[in-house]
Amino acid sequence: MTSVPIGVTVNGQDHEFDGSLTVRELLDRLGLPSQGVALAVDGAVFPKSRWGEPVGRGWKIEVLTAVQGG
């Protein structure tokens, strides 16, 4: 049985991955930080407590970093 690629968009760029991976694994594979960031999936906040869940096919993910300023 062959695995079906999972297509997601991260920060406006399309990516395809073979097989299932968690949100944490996705960040790691893309070289994105897992500390000091927040995620939005399809426009809704995705809490860090759910980062161990599998990435869904077609998700649009935004990785947001906090910026200080005033």
Side-chain angles (χ1 to χ4, degrees), residues 1 7 19-20 24 31 39 42 47 59 67:
M1 183 172 162
S20 176
R24 258 190 203 88
L39 293 185
D42 296 332
W59 279 7
V67 177

Side-chain angles (χ1 to χ4, degrees), residues 50-62:
R50 295 184 58 198
W51 288 14
E53 295 179 15
V55 172
R57 186 170 282 109
W59 279 7
K60 289 183 177 19
I61 302 170
E62 295 295 325

